[in-house]
Amino acid sequence: MIDFSHTAKNMRSSEIRRLMKLAADPSIISFAGGMPSNDLFPIAVVDELYNGLDNKTKQIALQYGPTPGYPPLLEELKKYLISRGISLEGQELIITTGAQQALNLVAKVFINPGDCVVAEYPSFIGAIAAFKSYDAELLSVPLDRDGIDIDALKATMQANAARIKMLYLNPVFQNPAGITYSDERKKQLIEVLKNTPYCIIEDDPYSELYFDDADMQKCTPLKTMAPDLPICYIGTFAKIFGPGLRLGWLLGPKDIVDKCELAKQSMDACSSTFTQVLAYEYLSKGKLAPYLAWLRPIYKRRATLMLDALKANMPPGVTWTIPQGGFYVWVTMPSSINATDVLNKALAKGAAFVIGNAFDPQGVKNNTMRLAFSFTAEEKIAKGIAIIADAVRELV
Ligand SMILES: Cc1ncc(COP(=O)(O)O)c(C=O)c1O
């Protein structure tokens, strides 16, 4: 018999990866994948940027690069982070192969088997999987519509003080809950974190995707508000350019990020130089701002259609969050309903979503579902939600 490592034995197939396959089936209206629809990618910009490169840069693009990242991209990214109010003093920046790798790197350099990671409930499935792959024990703290429950956080920290290594937070347009921490909650959180020795991961893929300019201020990173906290700030090009670039970044205290760089060396030596060159051109030629300005109203329309359809179709007793940006709506059903039963019924009629227990750090609670509005064409949203609502109604 093959004797796999403990890590491999603990690996479970991700519900999301399984469901991503469904998103590719054109007969299914899928709210499962947390990704943009293909028609939203800036392909004309990519053509223009690539065709504008000289041969020397094209050669660099096809070559290995330095582990921390393509130097011109690092410089451009620093300017971008400063423009978002983030101080780089005492901080180090590296490019990673997606935000997912950044999560993995921080987990790798901090977690010994049995160490605790405090995560929100619900929490991003990819982060849960990364922490579990290092045998972390996950402690979850509930979210309400304004952010993490501060009293529950304090109680969890007090009860497990010696075992906690890290806190994992996604404060803006949270995946999967769709909520954003209020200013007040962020301030309370910063007060609590001031007195803790733990590494704090702030995962921030969506904060540029607010629906209304008036909400921009709500998207301010914790990293901006609390420059003295040991925050590892993780970002990605996945939602502001394309996930296929596989480019993210990690900005954090120098000693932490230096260790992560060492860990990265043995993982992939460097992230794709080819896509880093494109990302550099994209930022330096000012392509990001106009793309986002075009994208925001599209996602807002998709979200509005989804919320309207939920209101029109869901039976009493079902509630959902109202996002102000990002990709997700989180639906809570009566506790007697199992989301897997709803999914099976919905799939049979042609609609998909991700069941809630995929996002429970304990993998238990399942009367919830995540609906992503980012992937689905406007004309299909109402129909897909009606199918899911019918499935819920059959089970109430
Ligand atoms: C909260 C969060 N973190 C990290 C990631 C992973 O991003 P990337 O595609 O850059 O690896 C995602 C992707 O959906 C996400 O939602």
Side-chain angles (χ1 to χ4, degrees):
M1 211 178 81
I2 305 172
D3 187 19
F4 287 118
S5 67
H6 293 306
T7 307
K9 281 179 191 150
N10 284 335
M11 285 173 185
R12 297 279 171 270
S13 151
S14 147
E15 193 64 20
I16 289 209
R17 301 289 167 246
R18 190 172 70 79
L19 285 161
M20 292 276 266
K21 289 192 191 133
L22 291 174
D25 177 346
S27 69
I28 299 270
I29 300 173
S30 177
F31 304 112
M35 56 200 182
S37 49
N38 290 359
D39 57 314
L40 297 182
F41 293 131
I43 48 174
V45 171
V46 172
D47 286 347
E48 180 196 324
L49 294 176
Y50 182 75
N51 292 332
L53 297 177
D54 57 28
N55 278 353
K56 189 165 165 272
T57 312
K58 286 181 179 168
Q59 287 169 351
I60 291 172
L62 287 166
Q63 191 52 277
Y64 292 112
T67 303
Y70 176 55
L73 175 61
L74 284 168
E75 285 319 303
E76 210 50 49
L77 205 48
K78 282 179 190 166
K79 284 191 222 160
Y80 166 75
L81 292 168
I82 290 169
S83 78
R84 300 213 53 207
I86 294 176
S87 161
L88 303 184
E89 217 184 299
Q91 306 291 301
E92 196 66 44
L93 177 68
I94 60 170
I95 304 292
T96 55
T97 302
Q100 186 64 38
Q101 186 186 50
L103 290 167
N104 233 284
L105 290 171
V106 182
K108 192 180 179 81
V109 305
F110 275 102
I111 296 171
N112 291 316
D115 285 345
C116 292
V117 177
V118 178
E120 299 150 327
Y121 169 79
S123 219
F124 170 52
I125 186 172
I128 296 175
F131 303 145
K132 286 197 169 159
S133 76
Y134 295 99
D135 284 336
E137 186 183 322
L138 289 164
L139 305 171
S140 54
V141 177
L143 290 174
D144 60 37
R145 50 189 284 195
D146 287 325
I148 198 160
D149 179 328
I150 296 290
D151 289 336
L153 175 65
K154 282 186 193 161
T156 301
M157 293 201 319
Q158 234 162 33
N160 302 278
R163 299 172 59 220
I164 296 174
K165 272 287 180 67
M166 256 169 28
L167 259 85
Y168 170 69
L169 306 167
N170 176 198
V172 179
F173 311 138
Q174 205 257 10
N175 179 4
I179 63 113
T180 295
Y181 287 31
S182 66
D183 239 30
E184 186 52 31
R185 194 65 64 87
K186 282 185 190 165
K187 285 180 192 150
Q188 291 169 346
L189 175 63
I190 289 167
E191 271 315 300
V192 175
L193 298 181
K194 264 184 191 160
N195 305 315
T196 62
Y198 316 126
C199 169
I200 302 149
I201 299 183
E202 180 177 19
D203 193 4
D204 191 26
Y206 301 100
S207 61
E208 288 276 29
L209 298 174
Y210 44 84
F211 299 152
D212 295 306
D213 290 350
D215 290 330
M216 191 162 68
Q217 198 268 333
K218 290 185 187 146
C219 303
T220 307
L222 287 175
K223 184 89 179 152
T224 300
M225 295 170 71
D228 297 330
L229 287 182
I231 295 178
C232 288
Y233 178 79
I234 293 175
T236 176
F237 284 98
K239 325 289 170 170
I240 61 171
F241 192 173
L245 293 157
R246 302 311 301 130
L247 288 183
W249 61 86
L250 167 64
L251 176 82
K254 184 171 166 32
D255 44 354
I256 298 179
V257 176
D258 283 351
K259 274 279 184 238
C260 291
E261 185 192 325
L262 284 180
K264 181 174 165 66
Q265 271 174 19
S266 67
M267 276 186 190
D268 61 1
C270 64
S271 298
S272 160
T273 319
F274 193 89
T275 58
Q276 288 189 73
V277 166
L278 284 179
Y280 163 68
E281 296 291 325
Y282 183 71
L283 290 183
S284 65
K285 300 245 158 59
K287 302 296 184 189
L288 174 62
Y291 179 54
L292 290 174
W294 175 77
L295 210 48
R296 287 179 187 123
I298 296 177
Y299 286 139
K300 180 178 177 176
R301 272 202 305 279
R302 291 182 184 192
T304 306
L305 286 167
M306 179 175 275
L307 294 169
D308 289 349
L310 286 166
K311 205 167 165 190
N313 292 283
M314 279 295 178
V318 177
T319 58
W320 52 89
T321 54
I322 312 280
Q324 290 160 315
F327 282 9
Y328 309 106
V329 173
W330 180 248
V331 178
T332 304
M333 298 174 286
S335 55
S336 58
I337 297 189
N338 185 325
T340 308
D341 297 337
V342 179
L343 178 61
N344 287 332
K345 283 185 184 294
L347 275 176
K349 293 188 178 144
F353 58 86
V354 185
I355 54 172
N357 76 358
F359 306 98
D360 178 4
Q362 267 68 47
V364 180
K365 290 183 207 155
N366 202 26
N367 62 324
T368 46
M369 57 174 114
R370 187 193 76 176
L371 302 173
F373 49 80
S374 53
F375 182 77
T376 314
E378 286 181 24
E379 64 278 10
K380 291 187 177 170
I381 291 177
K383 185 174 173 206
I385 295 296
I387 291 174
I388 295 169
D390 276 352
V392 176
R393 211 171 295 109
E394 279 181 42
L395 292 160
V396 176

